[in-house]
Amino acid sequence: MYTIIIYIIVGGLFLLSYVKDKKKTKESLKFAKKSLADSLPQFIVLMMGVIYVLALVDAETISKLLGSSTGIGGILLSGVIGSVTLIPALIAFPLAANLLRMGAGYAQVTMLLTTLTMVGVVTMPMEIKYFGKKCLLRETLSASYTLF
């Protein structure tokens, strides 16, 4: 039901945009189509990679590495994995649900999600290029404050 309400709201806003300025609405649809076409192959490869890793790694291994009994070591391992991995939130949340089902601990998965969605080692050069060092520093400090 919630999804239907969201679709109705988005559809209404789209119609409002179209009525207000047909040209800009058409341009934005072309831009969205191009963005989707550019990112879809990377997204599919990333999803296949996550699925492949989950298929190879059994629940026992995940429980040993990231289970609740691993304590601070498992939390730190999750933080390192999340910091060096480039996974968008759209994939990270289903991944987290699967990890929990396979025996990972809540604290470990929380750390993984937090570090996956923050500034990572892999994305840092790109974020500095587009947002600048000042913005990156602020984001990193605020995220660190949230963690501790």
Side-chain angles (χ1 to χ4, degrees), residues 40-50:
L40 195 58
Q42 297 167 351
F43 181 75
I44 290 171
V45 168
L46 191 58
M47 284 291 289
M48 287 172 43
V50 168

XYZ file of all heavy atoms in Angstrom, residues 40-50:
85
model
N 23.555 1.197 -15.200
C 22.963 -0.137 -15.112
C 23.977 -1.272 -15.275
O 23.947 -2.227 -14.484
C 21.816 -0.276 -16.117
C 20.880 -1.454 -15.897
C 20.245 -1.386 -14.517
C 19.808 -1.483 -16.966
N 24.893 -1.218 -16.242
C 25.860 -2.313 -16.344
C 26.711 -2.479 -15.086
O 26.948 -3.603 -14.626
C 26.727 -1.912 -17.546
C 25.875 -1.014 -18.348
C 25.014 -0.288 -17.361
N 27.163 -1.367 -14.505
C 27.960 -1.442 -13.278
C 27.133 -2.010 -12.132
O 27.618 -2.812 -11.336
C 28.474 -0.057 -12.902
C 29.403 0.533 -13.916
C 29.641 2.012 -13.675
O 28.991 2.636 -12.850
N 30.579 2.577 -14.418
N 25.889 -1.600 -12.065
C 24.995 -2.065 -11.010
C 24.781 -3.579 -11.123
O 24.825 -4.300 -10.127
C 23.667 -1.314 -11.111
C 22.676 -1.676 -10.062
C 22.828 -1.225 -8.763
C 21.590 -2.480 -10.356
C 21.913 -1.551 -7.781
C 20.675 -2.810 -9.389
C 20.834 -2.348 -8.095
N 24.560 -4.066 -12.341
C 24.331 -5.495 -12.549
C 25.577 -6.306 -12.181
O 25.486 -7.337 -11.511
C 23.887 -5.762 -14.005
C 22.478 -5.207 -14.217
C 23.929 -7.256 -14.340
C 22.007 -5.225 -15.660
N 26.745 -5.828 -12.592
C 27.992 -6.521 -12.266
C 28.192 -6.549 -10.748
O 28.578 -7.574 -10.179
C 29.191 -5.851 -12.973
C 30.507 -6.361 -12.425
C 29.105 -6.092 -14.467
N 27.908 -5.447 -10.094
C 28.053 -5.378 -8.641
C 27.105 -6.351 -7.943
O 27.502 -7.076 -7.026
C 27.799 -3.950 -8.166
C 28.147 -3.612 -6.739
C 29.600 -3.890 -6.449
C 27.863 -2.144 -6.492
N 25.860 -6.377 -8.395
C 24.891 -7.324 -7.821
C 25.343 -8.762 -8.026
O 25.252 -9.594 -7.117
C 23.509 -7.127 -8.461
C 22.762 -5.925 -7.969
S 22.230 -6.088 -6.273
C 20.947 -7.299 -6.426
N 25.834 -9.070 -9.224
C 26.301 -10.426 -9.498
C 27.489 -10.779 -8.605
O 27.594 -11.908 -8.120
C 26.664 -10.566 -10.977
C 25.445 -10.602 -11.880
S 25.771 -10.543 -13.654
C 27.132 -11.637 -13.877
N 28.368 -9.813 -8.365
C 29.509 -10.047 -7.486
C 29.084 -10.345 -6.061
O 29.599 -11.279 -5.427
N 28.144 -9.574 -5.552
C 27.648 -9.797 -4.187
C 26.971 -11.164 -4.090
O 27.195 -11.921 -3.139
C 26.685 -8.662 -3.765
C 25.948 -9.017 -2.494
C 27.448 -7.367 -3.601
